Amino acid sequence: MKPILLRAALLTCLFSAPVAWSAPADVVAILDGYAIRQAEVGRALWQQPELGYLEADSSALLQRELREAGFRIEAGVAGMPTAFVASYGTRGNGPVIGLLAEMDALPGMAQAAEPVRMALPGQDAGQACGHNLFGAASVGAARAIAQWLKDSGSAGQVRVYGTPAEEGGSGKVYMAKAGLFDGVDVVLHWHPSAENSAAQGTSLANTSGKFRFHGRAAHAAIAPDHGRSALDGVEALNHMANLMREHVPEGTRVHYVISNGGAAPNVVPDFAEVYYYVRHTDPAVVRDVFERLHKAAEGAAMGTGTTVEFEQTGGVFSMLPNDTLGQVMQAALQQVGGVRYDAAEQTFAQRMQQTLEERPSLEAAMQLQPYRADMAGSASTDVGDVSWNAPTAGLSTATWVPGTPAHSWQAVAASGMSIGDKGALNAAKTMALAAVQLLQSPETVRKARQEFNTRRGTEFRYRPLLQRDTPPLDYRSKAAR
């Protein structure tokens, strides 16, 4: 795998070519006409945030918006009740353009749409990665593309992939394993951010899962000798994992959280669970380090008189960039531009920046970042597996106040108000314009496929890091026993 990634990096400039074209005004007008409704859809997902594989209402809403626009819906695909594929148009002699639509929220991130920390009583989850905007904007873009196909009489098809559980559940991997991206010529996606960028690059491959230790309960004061602490097993594993950090390849990331540590200090816990992530740019390194974790868990169980079992919850490839598509996305983003704040948004942003460690100028929301095709990302996404199955490109727009990190309460707040809405509308316009350009340019689509094939290499065979047959539909539920 590593030589493939190296070859991909070396090919950064091979397929680069300036892309210049005029924005079809009708596509922009369609999206301006849908802007209020798109914001309402995004706000509905924000007001009722749903965790991975539990996005029943969110998925249903996105499907309704597409069905009303004439899309054919296939729901519950790849063994996931909230996953869907919505299609408009026929392939004919035209390309098939796929758009990704994420929707899941994060636990423990409830926050009001205010520039100060303000948790919401009775609510736990929050849209800390802006997936409410992600899903709404992808639907908006798809509706505009479909209208353009109808009005122009052009050949081609647009598909929306409703992709659940991006946050650690690897929903797109099951869709890739099911062959749902076979026959797709191009996949476009976007992500909420604090800046506007169409830069393309890699991400970190990732494997995640839960080690569950079983012991024997006993009274911790009267009869501790009769107990075997499952929590001791978890803590022994964590200690060995922390020692291992010195002896893993550079760039490896290991994170964990004790998701169940027992219920009361005076009871020796007979069950405990720890949830691990391992990341690296090279999937082979991820496989190796996680195998070492498995051995450490076995040792921890032996040393504490407990037993251990493992459930893999996720596993994703690193991104395979496509500069040909990136250039098209960059040209579309230049047509659309950045996000302009009104007076109320300026006040909101200024107050929020007082809570941030980094405080770049608010003008950054209006600016476009320079285009690059060799960005080295530090996050993981199941879009990575899509990118190894079909030519893929993405972008980000300023849905958050400049300086806002992802997975923060500040991201939740901005994702639920007009700053997020404006950034999402720009994302929808950019993707729609890029898709229309590709629908009109079969040569560009062929060039993107050529680059894709070259970067993957002729010997590549897709073997997912995620080695389980069925999705962990309960991975966001309380620790199972």
Side-chain angles (χ1 to χ4, degrees), residues 279-436:
R279 308 182 202 245
H280 193 273
T281 54
D282 188 347
V285 171
V286 173
R287 284 194 176 98
D288 177 68
V289 172
F290 222 99
E291 180 58 33
R292 291 168 65 186
L293 273 181
H294 277 286
K295 292 178 180 178
E298 293 168 3
M302 291 177 62
T304 56
T306 60
T307 60
V308 64
E309 60 189 27
F310 174 75
E311 180 188 11
Q312 186 179 19
T313 57
V316 301
F317 268 42
S318 50
M319 286 290 297
L320 183 68
N322 193 290
D323 183 44
T324 302
L325 297 178
Q327 293 276 357
V328 174
M329 196 75 91
Q330 174 69 12
L333 182 59
Q334 288 173 337
Q335 293 283 343
V336 174
V339 176
R340 295 184 179 275
Y341 294 162
D342 61 23
E345 292 160 351
Q346 285 271 357
T347 300
F348 181 99
Q350 289 166 354
R351 289 186 62 194
M352 177 166 282
Q353 279 205 329
Q354 295 174 14
T355 71
L356 299 173
E357 291 185 11
E358 297 183 7
R359 303 174 186 178
S361 169
L362 295 183
E363 297 293 315
M366 293 189 297
Q367 298 166 354
L368 307 185
Q369 297 299 309
Y371 177 75
R372 292 178 56 184
D374 59 351
M375 292 287 289
S378 56
S380 303
T381 173
D382 54 9
V383 180
D385 286 68
V386 177
S387 73
W388 288 82
N389 282 275
T392 302
L395 82 151
S396 60
T397 59
T399 60
W400 306 327
V401 174
T404 298
H407 293 198
S408 66
W409 68 260
Q410 293 94 337
V412 183
S415 295
M417 50 87 66
S418 58
I419 287 176
D421 297 338
K422 286 183 173 180
L425 181 58
N426 281 4
K429 290 179 178 179
T430 302
M431 287 194 298
L433 292 173
V436 168

Side-chain angles (χ1 to χ4, degrees), residues 54-258:
L54 305 174
E55 316 96 334
D57 290 337
S58 301
S59 178
L61 175 56
L62 298 181
Q63 291 180 51
R64 282 198 300 273
E65 292 296 305
L66 291 164
R67 188 176 290 109
E68 290 172 0
F71 281 74
R72 302 178 300 279
I73 310 291
E74 184 181 1
V77 298
M80 298 175 288
T82 56
F84 66 87
V85 179
S87 305
Y88 185 95
T90 56
R91 183 181 178 102
N93 295 322
V96 176
I97 308 294
L99 303 182
L100 304 181
E102 296 176 7
M103 62 194 98
D104 61 321
L106 281 160
M109 295 304 301
Q111 164 67 29
E114 298 291 341
V116 294
R117 185 69 172 108
M118 187 182 297
L120 297 174
Q123 181 173 312
D124 176 71
Q127 291 286 357
C129 217
H131 292 177
N132 61 309
L133 302 172
F134 192 150
S138 293
V139 166
R143 287 174 58 111
I145 298 164
Q147 188 64 49
W148 181 87
L149 283 170
K150 179 180 178 181
D151 293 345
S152 66
S154 299
Q157 184 181 87
V158 56
R159 296 180 188 172
V160 178
Y161 290 83
T163 61
E166 187 276 337
E167 298 290 356
S170 304
K172 298 181 192 66
V173 181
Y174 296 97
M175 300 178 92
K177 289 171 65 175
L180 295 180
F181 297 99
D182 296 350
V184 178
D185 295 290
V186 168
V187 174
L188 303 178
H189 66 102
W190 80 286
H191 203 284
S193 179
E195 62 182 23
N196 307 291
S197 174
Q200 306 299 309
T202 60
S203 60
L204 296 182
N206 171 20
T207 291
S208 62
K210 299 177 179 181
F211 293 93
R212 298 185 176 118
F213 286 80
H214 297 268
R216 187 165 66 237
H219 195 294
I222 297 175
D225 54 310
H226 291 285
R228 295 294 181 267
S229 172
L231 181 58
D232 285 352
V234 165
E235 292 189 313
L237 167 58
N238 293 347
H239 179 65
M240 285 187 279
N242 289 328
L243 293 176
M244 191 170 66
R245 294 179 191 276
E246 185 181 356
H247 309 289
V248 294
E250 187 70 26
T252 304
R253 299 285 184 268
V254 180
H255 338 279
Y256 64 82
V257 60
I258 298 176

Side-chain angles (χ1 to χ4, degrees), residues 35-49:
I36 293 176
R37 179 56 185 162
Q38 179 178 301
E40 290 173 348
V41 172
R43 201 67 53 85
L45 271 62
W46 184 90
Q47 291 172 340
Q48 189 174 339

